Amino acid sequence: MKISLAKKLSLAFLLTAFISIVIASLISNYMIDKKFDSYLINEHKLTENKVSTMINSLYDEKTGFSENGKDEISRYSSAEELYIEIKASNGSILFTSNNLKPQMHSMMGAMMHNSTASQYTEDTYSLEKHNKKAGTIILGYYSSSYFSSAAEGFITTLNHSFLLAIFIALIFSVIISIFFSRQISSPLINITETANKIRTGNLNAKCSVKSKTKELAYLSESINYLGATLKKQELIRKRLTSDMAHELRTPLTNLKSHIEALLDKIWQPTDEVFMSFYEEIERLIKLVKGLNDIAKLEEVNITLNKTTFDLSLELKKIAAFFEPVYKNSGLILKLDIPSRITAFLDRDKLKQVMYNLLSNARKYSKNNGEVLLKLYLAEKEIIIEVKDNGIGISEADLPFIFERLYRSDESRSRNTGGAGIGLTITKNIVEAHGGNIEAKSKLGEGSLFVIRLPK
Ligand code: ADP
C-alpha cells in the first residue's frame, strides 16, 4: 500500500513531537522526584529553625511562657503540623502540644500509621536566653508520610501539567504538520501533474510552483526547462522532416522529369542532359553526406589537438584564402586584427569554425555587402567576431540556428545548398574549447557572430 507524502510527513512529524514530549516528561519527572525529597527536608529544617527561634523569643527566664505565648506556640504547632514539647533544664515540662499527637495520627489515617513509610521523628533544639541554655525544645513530626503526601501531590500536579502540555503540544503539532506537509506535497503534486501532461504530449504544460523550498523550486524549474527543451526539439524534428522532404523532392522530381523527357524522346541524350543529371545527383550526395555528418556529430565527442600558435597570423591566412571568393561574389572582406595574439587551440578545428562563419557570411550577404572579421582581447577571453550586413536572421529563427539541420526560410529560398549543420559543428567545437558562441541579428540588416574563447 502506498501512502501519500503529506500523510507520511504528518505522521512522522506527530510521532517525533509525541516521542519528544514523552521523553522530556519522563526525564523531568524522574529528576524532580529525586530532588523533591531533599528539598522538602530542607524546607522542614527551616520551619523547625523558625519555630525554635520563635519559642526562644517568647521565653522569659523568670516567668517562663505567658498564656499568650503558649497560645502562639499552639498555633504554630497546628499550622506546621508539629508536635512541640518544651522542657526546662531540671526536666520539668514547660509546654506541650500533647493533644496534637493523637490528632496527627487520626489525620494521617490508620494506613499511614501502619505503613513503614510513616515514621515519627523528633528533633531537639535548645531553649536559650542570653546565650544561656535554659532547657530543650522537642519538635516531633511524621517524617516520610508528611513528605510523601506532599511529594505525591506535587508529582500528581506535575503529571497533570505534563498531560496538558502533551495535549496542547499535539494539537499544535497536528496544525503545524498539516501546514508543512501541504507546503511540500502540493508543489510536488503540481510538478507530477505537469510531468504527466508533458508525458502525454502537452508540451505547453508548465509548473506553477512558487515554493520557497530550494529543492522544489529547482525541480519545478527543471521540469519547465525539460518541457521547453522537448518543445524546441519537437519543433526542430518537424522542421527537419519537412526540410528533408523538401530538399530530397526537388532533385528527385528533376531527375524523374528529365528521364521521362529522355524516354519520350523529347530530349536527346546529350552531354548537357547528363550534366544536369550529374548536378542533381551531386546535390543528393551532398544532402546524404550532411546527414552522415550529423550522425557523426551525435556519436563522437570532439577530441582536440591543442597547440600554441599565432592566432592573428592564422586568421589573416584564412581571410586571404577567402578574399578571392568574396571578390567573385562582389563582397568586401575587412579585417581588424591586431598582431601577435597567440592562442592555445586546435588549429584545424579553428579553421573549420572560421570557414563555416566566413562562408555563411558570404552566402547570406547582399550584393556589395561588407563582412568584418575582428579579433581582440578581453580580460579573460579572446574574442573573434564575424559581422555582415547581409540578409540577417528573423527573431523567430535566431534561437534555432545552432540546431542541427536548421535553416531559415529566407536562406533556403536562396538555394545556397547549405544543409544546416555548419553552425552546429561550429558551436560544438567552440564549446569543446571551453568557449561560447553567440549570434545577434536583425532580418534585412545583417548578423554578428561572437566567439569567446578562454585565454
Ligand atoms: P547552412 O549550411 O544552411 O548555412 P548553418 O548551420 O551554417 O547551415 O546555418 C544555419 C542557418 O543559420 C542557415 O541556414 C541560415 O538560415 C542561418 N545563418 C547562418 N549564418 C547566417 C548569416 N551570416 N546571415 C544570415 N543567416 C545565417
Side-chain angles (χ1 to χ4, degrees), residues 275-290:
M275 197 58 211
S276 75
F277 283 12
Y278 183 83
E279 275 169 13
E280 293 305 335
I281 292 169
E282 216 23 4
R283 261 181 84 177
L284 280 172
I285 291 173
K286 213 163 146 190
L287 213 76
V288 173
K289 190 182 167 294

Side-chain angles (χ1 to χ4, degrees), residues 356-357 359-365 386 388 390-393 397 400-412 416-426 441 446-449:
N356 285 342
L357 292 183
S359 59
N360 275 353
R362 186 191 64 82
K363 277 195 286 186
Y364 305 116
S365 272
V386 177
D388 65 61
I391 62 168
I393 306 163
D397 285 320
F400 300 105
I401 55 164
F402 292 103
E403 302 290 344
R404 27 196 79 100
L405 285 182
Y406 197 91
R407 305 189 64 211
S408 70
D409 288 333
E410 191 73 19
S411 48
R412 198 165 332 103
T416 49
I421 57 164
L423 284 182
T424 314
I425 294 172
T426 301
S441 189
S447 313
L448 167 68
F449 286 84

Side-chain angles (χ1 to χ4, degrees), residues 52 55-57 59 125-137:
S52 74
I55 291 173
N56 276 326
S57 72
Y59 178 68
Y125 293 81
S126 54
L127 181 71
E128 288 177 352
K129 203 75 204 181
H130 308 307
N131 285 336
K132 262 180 42 212
K133 194 169 160 51
T136 45
I137 305 167

